[in-house]
Amino acid sequence: MENSNIIPELVKKSERGRYGDFPVLFLTGLFKYGLFFVGIGIFIIVSFLLIKEKLIQNTKPNKKNLKNVKNYIEKRNLRLIVFHNFGQDVKIISENVTSGIIRNIMNSINWNEFHIVQLEDENNNALHVSGSLNEDGLASTFTKDDDHILMVKPIETVEQMIEILLDFLKGEDIWRNKYEYK
């Protein structure tokens, strides 16, 4: 801007004309202050985007904020596996499970016979729901490394098992804050 010849040339031309001062003042003001306001505008836009990103990060549910849990789904790649015949037959249902897949599989299983349904994350942590409605009853366990912990409250329906799996799909923090395992 300082090395530009535009402003001195406009000053020379304005000396000849009747209304020459206004265009010179207008253009010099536009160059000087226009760039200033463009800079301020860029600063405001970048600040807005950073604040928006920070707010999105703060809406992730935690122990203190479980109000947004229903609408929040963490992006997780979970594998859904079904075990039949007391674990002798293994079938991998999906490598990237969704809530719809969980509901369909859980509702298609004959829960009068013993089955195990497992959701496994990328760290090989696994949530299991298992049992039968007739003899064994229903249960849920969580496996992390070599630790196996059992859900304290007994499960009575298939719908409760579906809810546990869906909560684990939403995020391990959501699931851990909702259910007690020991």
Side-chain angles (χ1 to χ4, degrees), residues 114 130-139 155:
F114 185 85
S130 61
S132 69
L133 293 171
N134 286 340
E135 300 170 9
D136 304 311
L138 303 173
I155 301 172

Side-chain angles (χ1 to χ4, degrees), residues 18-158:
R18 182 173 169 190
Y19 300 103
D21 291 339
F22 177 73
V24 171
L25 290 176
F26 179 75
L27 288 174
T28 56
L30 184 66
F31 285 130
K32 287 182 179 179
Y33 299 109
L35 293 176
F36 174 72
F37 287 113
V38 168
I40 289 176
I42 290 171
F43 177 76
I44 290 171
I45 291 170
V46 169
S47 297
F48 172 76
L49 293 174
L50 290 173
I51 291 169
K52 181 181 172 186
E53 184 177 326
K54 184 70 173 174
L55 289 175
I56 289 172
Q57 288 176 352
N58 288 340
T59 58
K60 286 185 179 179
N62 55 33
K63 291 180 183 179
K64 295 177 184 175
N65 177 15
L66 288 175
K67 294 177 184 174
N68 299 328
V69 168
K70 286 186 178 181
N71 298 326
Y72 175 77
I73 296 180
E74 188 174 297
K75 299 209 185 274
R76 302 175 72 197
N77 290 327
L78 299 178
R79 178 187 305 167
L80 181 66
I81 303 169
V82 176
F83 299 89
H84 303 283
N85 298 327
F86 294 95
Q88 293 178 0
D89 299 329
V90 179
K91 184 176 182 183
I92 297 174
I93 304 299
S94 175
E95 292 289 335
N96 192 7
V97 71
T98 63
S99 59
I101 293 172
I102 291 173
R103 286 192 182 281
N104 289 339
I105 289 300
M106 292 296 289
N107 289 326
S108 69
I109 293 174
N110 179 6
W111 287 103
N112 292 319
E113 299 174 5
F114 185 85
H115 290 87
I116 301 170
V117 176
Q118 172 179 306
L119 272 180
E120 184 178 286
D121 67 12
E122 58 275 356
N123 299 322
N124 293 325
N125 299 329
L127 176 70
H128 306 88
V129 290
S130 61
S132 69
L133 293 171
N134 286 340
E135 300 170 9
D136 304 311
L138 303 173
S140 177
T141 59
F142 179 69
T143 305
K144 184 172 187 168
D145 301 323
D146 288 332
D147 294 333
H148 300 278
I149 53 175
L150 184 65
M151 185 173 176
V152 173
K153 185 179 176 185
I155 301 172
E156 298 175 5
T157 66
V158 174

